[in-house]
Amino acid sequence: MTAYTVDLDVAGRCVLLVGDGDVLAPQALSLLSAGAELTVAAPQVPASIEDLADRGRLTWTTAQWTVSDVRAADLVVASDADEALRSCCAAERVWLSTPRTGSVRRPRTTRGSVTLVGGGPGDPGLLTVAGLDALRAADVVVCDRLAPLAALDGLDAEVVDVAKVPRGRSTSQEAINALLVERARAGQHVVRLKGGDGYVFGRAGEEAIACAEAGIDVRVVPGLSSAVAGPALAGVPLTHRGVSQGFSVVSGHVPPGHPASTVDYGALARSGTTIVLLMAVATLPAILDALEGGGLAPGTPAATIADAGLPSQRVVRSTVRDLARVVAEAGLGAPAITVVGDVVAVDPLRAGAQPDEVPWPAVTTELDGVERAG
């Protein structure tokens, strides 16, 4: 069969992704980033795909592809298309794409190493140049579900999904540490790809220690933390002259009063800084109550940003008193970032707006990259 390369705009098109293995995740994220309406046909998928399906970002059918699946698609993507799939696509007159890997030359070394790469908030365009160079030189990429997986599409590297899905499939940190050491000892250049910055609630420190104790060369490539990038992508500056002189970032994975919580929410409420909450969807009501109980005015502006940096990004804005209810009514889920403080009312994307000029009722604002409503 003679191949001919063409560019296809998949935005708004029904795309069927067929295959297996961890390579499905990069392909899926690449297609979703291009605006495709995606269905994945595979009996088994990495945790990242299952998570995307649970969040409604794509449709996952657990059976092998069928003629009906192909017929409903505008494009079929399959890295290893067998004769049956090729014949079906030809019979149904549906485009078939068989992406090739191996187009990127990688330097080979005899000594293994580990590079810990912070991938930013999810958009491949926000991955650093150093991070992209590391991926291009990798033999194996060990990745999280919130990493910019679309950046792996087409790279000549093995992909190992070690996602930690909240209340779902998860790989233990001990298993991840052992995997990094094992692969590096085998002489491979290992890239550990995380979302955001690995040193900001990312456990990269634990992985660096494990590698160093095993005598493995380890390098760190910082990433753009979602704590900073998420609010910026939603039009929320964390500091603003005359409004806020600093910001505090805390993890909300456990609620106030929990034995594992080390955050003094009363002190945080009185700090006078912008407050950024990560991993705080389930605990948001309790945290906002604790901040209000610590002295923060109930009318203080607050916003939650879900899927920051992705085409599915959504933002809701309200107040400390009402935000938890508004988030629940809007159906926002993890991953999400909450910002509390007067800076939420300073939206640089609204020309000329000042904090005292912008009322913030309990409304939902959805961002599609072009227009803002509300």
Side-chain angles (χ1 to χ4, degrees):
M1 179 179 292
T2 301
Y4 189 84
T5 301
V6 296
D7 289 329
L8 295 176
D9 182 1
V10 299
R13 300 288 187 177
C14 296
V15 177
L16 175 65
L17 177 59
V18 177
D20 56 26
D22 290 337
V23 71
L24 283 174
Q27 292 174 336
L29 265 296
S30 182
L31 290 165
L32 289 174
S33 295
E37 296 180 4
L38 186 61
T39 296
V40 177
Q44 294 182 332
V45 295
S48 300
I49 295 290
E50 187 173 345
D51 176 57
L52 289 169
D54 289 341
R55 289 159 51 197
R57 298 279 316 280
L58 55 80
T59 300
W60 171 36
T61 172
T62 59
Q64 294 284 3
W65 63 271
T66 65
V67 174
S68 296
D69 293 331
V70 173
R71 187 175 297 142
D74 297 305
L75 171 69
V76 175
V77 178
S79 296
D80 187 17
D82 58 18
E83 186 58 34
L85 181 58
R86 291 179 183 276
S87 298
C88 183
C89 289
E92 297 297 330
R93 302 182 66 83
V94 174
W95 286 103
L96 171 65
S97 173
T98 55
R100 291 179 173 85
T101 60
S103 60
V104 179
R105 294 182 177 270
R106 298 182 284 111
R108 298 290 180 176
T109 62
T110 57
R111 180 180 176 85
S113 64
V114 172
T115 303
L116 305 173
V117 175
D123 181 346
L126 298 178
L127 176 67
T128 65
V129 174
L132 183 58
D133 287 344
L135 291 175
R136 288 172 171 169
D139 294 303
V140 57
V141 180
V142 180
C143 57
D144 286 343
R145 70 185 181 98
L146 300 182
L149 300 179
L152 306 181
D153 192 16
L155 291 186
D156 184 17
E158 179 186 358
V159 178
V160 180
D161 187 298
V162 292
K164 293 183 175 70
V165 180
R167 294 168 295 281
R169 290 165 59 182
S170 182
T171 305
S172 72
Q173 188 60 52
E174 292 74 19
I176 294 172
N177 294 349
L179 176 64
L180 298 179
V181 170
E182 175 189 355
R183 292 303 189 94
R185 280 179 171 165
Q188 292 183 310
H189 179 191
V190 184
V191 169
R192 175 71 170 108
L193 182 63
K194 298 171 173 286
D197 183 278
Y199 274 18
V200 180
F201 303 126
R203 299 191 180 182
E206 298 176 38
E207 293 165 357
I209 291 172
C211 291
E213 289 179 342
I216 303 298
D217 292 336
V218 61
R219 181 169 71 101
V220 176
V221 177
L224 180 58
S225 172
S226 59
V228 176
L233 291 168
V236 178
L238 296 185
T239 63
H240 192 78
R241 186 170 60 173
V243 180
S244 175
Q245 298 178 7
F247 61 92
S248 303
V249 181
V250 300
S251 168
H253 70 287
V254 292
H258 190 280
S261 176
T262 62
V263 179
D264 185 338
Y265 284 97
L268 194 62
R270 297 186 296 273
S271 67
T273 66
T274 302
I275 301 168
V276 182
L277 305 172
L278 303 182
M279 298 177 284
V281 174
T283 58
L284 188 59
I287 290 175
L288 294 178
D289 284 346
L291 290 174
E292 187 176 343
L296 194 64
T300 302
T304 294
I305 307 109
D307 285 351
L310 300 176
S312 55
Q313 175 175 310
R314 295 182 65 199
V315 183
V316 297
R317 300 172 184 261
S318 186
T319 63
V320 167
R321 174 66 58 82
D322 295 326
L323 181 65
R325 174 181 56 80
V326 174
V327 167
E329 291 175 351
L332 266 61
I337 301 158
T338 292
V339 183
V340 178
D342 290 336
V343 291
V344 173
V346 182
D347 190 342
L349 301 180
R350 295 185 178 188
Q354 296 298 320
D356 57 352
E357 297 174 343
V358 183
W360 292 106
V363 298
T364 299
T365 301
E366 297 192 20
L367 302 186
D368 59 9
V370 180
E371 299 179 349
R372 295 174 60 92

